[in-house]
DNA sequence: AGATTGACCGTGT
DNA sequence: GACACGGCCAATC
């Protein structure tokens, strides 16, 4: 088995990002931790940048630890990313996501 | 196999 | 609150 073109890490990250509920956002560090590699926030970002399945992996729901939107290889980049989040119900604080109201809580999960 | 890069994070000033 | 430096992980050249 395992004819996947991707590594286990990538698949895990994709699964975690795909499990983020609409209207909420998670930080790279959080995704990394949920993926089983705490501290690998950078690696998560690398995976996302190489990710090409926006419909399967809503990378726009992943933001920086401060709620800052960084990177988005589609649309107009940050502009499209912000627009998508706002449309889904995520609250914004200027050009950053309001983590105090829209950060995802895996354990609580509403 | 080795070195470099990259959509990050935390701390210090 | 903003800028600077270093450290950590994985993928890619």
């Amino acid at each position: 088995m395992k004819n996947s073109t991707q590594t286990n890490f990538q698949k895990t990250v994709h699964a975690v990002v795909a499990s983020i509920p609409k209207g909420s956002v998670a930080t790279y560090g959080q995704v990394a931790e949920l993926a089983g590699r705490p501290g690998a926030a950078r690696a998560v970002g690398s995976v996302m940048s190489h990710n090409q399945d926006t419909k399967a992996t809503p990378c726009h729901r992943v933001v920086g630890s401060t709620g800052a939107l960084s990177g988005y290889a589609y649309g107009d980049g940050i502009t499209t990313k912000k627009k998508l989040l706002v449309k889904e119900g995520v609250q914004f604080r200027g050009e950053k996501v309001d983590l105090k109201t829209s950060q995802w809580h895996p354990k609580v999960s509403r």
Side-chain angles (χ1 to χ4, degrees):
Chain A
M1 55 192 241
K2 302 264 159 8
N3 256 5
S4 326
T5 8
Q6 297 167 99
T7 65
N8 187 1
F9 182 71
Q10 280 208 348
K11 289 189 290 191
T12 309
V13 172
H14 286 178
V16 173
V17 176
S19 33
I20 301 175
K22 189 179 75 159
S24 299
V25 295
T27 66
Y28 289 97
Q30 233 180 328
V31 175
E33 188 177 337
L34 294 170
R37 286 308 177 283
R42 226 173 199 181
V44 173
S46 293
V47 173
M48 306 314 271
S49 63
H50 279 264
N51 163 28
Q52 201 104 111
D53 295 275
T54 55
K55 51 181 183 287
T57 309
C59 27
H60 63 263
R61 289 186 190 154
V62 188
V63 299
S65 58
T66 63
L69 281 62
S70 356
Y72 193 65
Y74 300 97
D76 295 307
I78 309 301
T79 309
T80 302
K81 184 167 179 177
K82 180 187 174 189
K83 196 185 300 185
L84 277 166
L85 292 170
V86 173
K87 198 187 308 186
E88 299 214 340
V90 176
Q91 305 201 356
F92 265 72
R93 224 326 209 115
E95 297 301 298
K96 294 192 180 99
V97 178
D98 197 344
L99 294 178
K100 77 164 90 67
T101 60
S102 295
Q103 185 173 186
W104 179 39
H105 298 263
K107 291 192 156 195
V108 185
S109 186
R110 307 187 25 88

